[in-house]
Amino acid sequence: MAALPTTSTASPTPEGGSPVTTVAGAERLPRRRHRGLRKFARNRAAVAGAVIVAFAVIVAIFAPWLSPYDPIATSFMTVRQAPSALHWFGTDELGRDVLARMIFGARASLAAGVVSVGIAVIVGVPLGLLAGYFGRWVDAIISRLADALLSIPFLILAIAMAAFLGASLTNAMIAIGVSAMPRFVRLARAQALTVKAEEYVEGARAIGLTDTRIIVRYILPNVLPPIIVQASLTVATAIIAEASLSFLGLGQLPPLPSWGSMLNTAKDFVEQAPWMSIFPGIAIFLTVLGFNLLGDGLRDALDPREQS
């Protein structure tokens, strides 16, 4: 006799303990993860983005060992020298090696992207979960606050906050993180509104589980995939924002390097020393492209409609 098909169920126990999951249900989650990894690996653009991001991260981590020179050491004997065997990317207006400054500048740009997005996620996701789960006046207050911040263009808000806090890389990361926070509030709220109507959430509420436990154990795990995708895409936006703030003198302060501050300096020497602006611009372009390709690949791989 043919075996009956098994179904996956995950319902809370009457005692409020861990959900009861059948063997088929336990096997489906790793199967979905493997299917998502295989789909990601088949996406050449996503793999290329992951390679670019990994390369940038490795350069930032191992900058002291990869840099051929001290990034802040000046030499007036080598001012604005063109790329050569001695200085692969040339030198700047103070004789500093452009390649060394780009390698160390990767630290500032990537840190600004990752830390600022981390701030946005840590603050925005809990607020969005609270708004979506509890609704009513909690939703009204949080949503109106997010709408007010979203009414201001992202970069304009970041510039205003950075100018108010003062010029520094730390303040720039805070300004970018706060400016990006409403995106995660709206996304987490929308996902929470959808998930809280599911039967297993209603069942957990019916057996007396606390709201905190329901949010952490049943709603948050289902919200994480779109949050991860949005975070990877927002890192690219944050890198551009940091470069813009540094270009305006509101980010990394000299003599410490960042790609945006290097472009700010290079704008006065575009005709005499074009390599000062070309190489940092290419670095920003490739890194942002890498994060965008990675985010698009994660979005396709984590799409639940393709995982069933």
Side-chain angles (χ1 to χ4, degrees):
M1 181 181 295
L4 294 176
T6 58
T7 58
S8 171
T9 59
S11 57
T13 61
E15 294 79 6
S18 302
V20 177
T21 307
T22 65
V23 174
E27 293 177 350
R28 181 175 297 180
L29 292 178
R31 190 183 304 125
R32 288 180 177 179
R33 287 195 292 266
H34 294 160
R35 189 179 297 119
L37 288 174
R38 288 195 299 269
K39 185 176 181 182
F40 183 88
R42 289 195 299 266
N43 189 333
R44 295 183 179 179
V47 173
V51 170
I52 294 173
V53 171
F55 177 77
V57 171
I58 291 173
V59 169
I61 293 175
F62 298 100
W65 294 273
L66 296 176
S67 177
Y69 299 97
D70 185 343
I72 62 175
T74 60
S75 175
F76 293 102
M77 300 297 294
T78 59
V79 171
R80 295 201 303 275
Q81 286 192 351
S84 63
L86 189 61
H87 300 282
W88 290 2
F89 288 3
T91 60
D92 63 7
E93 81 287 359
L94 297 178
R96 297 171 297 192
D97 186 74
V98 173
L99 176 58
R101 292 182 64 78
M102 283 185 56
I103 291 175
F104 276 88
R107 286 186 161 186
S109 297
L110 290 179
V114 174
V115 173
S116 60
V117 171
I119 294 173
V121 170
I122 291 173
V123 177
V125 171
L127 291 177
L129 292 177
L130 292 176
Y133 182 79
F134 290 105
R136 298 185 179 180
W137 63 270
V138 177
D139 185 16
I141 294 175
I142 296 176
S143 295
R144 296 298 78 76
L145 175 62
D147 291 341
L149 293 176
L150 285 172
S151 65
I152 307 173
F154 169 77
L155 190 56
I156 299 299
L157 179 59
I159 292 174
M161 291 195 62
F164 174 77
L165 295 173
S168 73
L169 181 61
T170 300
N171 291 339
M173 290 188 292
I174 295 174
I176 296 171
V178 174
S179 301
M181 178 192 66
R183 302 182 183 183
F184 293 92
V185 173
R186 296 291 296 273
L187 179 60
R189 173 184 177 273
Q191 295 295 320
L193 286 172
T194 301
V195 175
K196 78 172 185 178
E198 296 290 341
E199 293 182 357
Y200 59 86
V201 176
E202 295 292 341
R205 189 181 296 112
I207 64 173
L209 293 186
T210 63
D211 293 329
T212 302
R213 193 168 186 180
I214 293 174
I215 291 174
V216 172
R217 294 192 59 184
Y218 296 101
I219 295 182
L220 180 59
N222 291 280
V223 173
L224 283 180
I227 294 296
I228 293 173
V229 174
Q230 182 62 44
S232 63
L233 294 172
T234 306
V235 169
T237 305
I239 290 175
I240 296 177
E242 185 278 330
S244 301
L245 293 178
S246 296
F247 183 84
L248 297 174
L250 297 174
Q252 182 79 288
L253 296 176
L256 298 177
S258 78
W259 295 338
S261 62
M262 292 175 68
L263 288 176
N264 182 31
T265 302
K267 72 180 187 299
D268 298 325
F269 305 96
V270 174
E271 295 183 0
Q272 300 92 336
W275 56 85
M276 290 176 56
S277 58
I278 291 175
F279 293 113
I282 292 175
I284 294 174
F285 167 76
L286 290 178
T287 305
V288 171
L289 176 64
F291 275 104
N292 280 326
L293 293 177
L294 177 62
D296 290 339
L298 289 175
R299 179 176 56 197
D300 294 339
L302 297 176
D303 189 348
R305 292 171 297 183
E306 302 293 338
Q307 300 291 324
S308 57

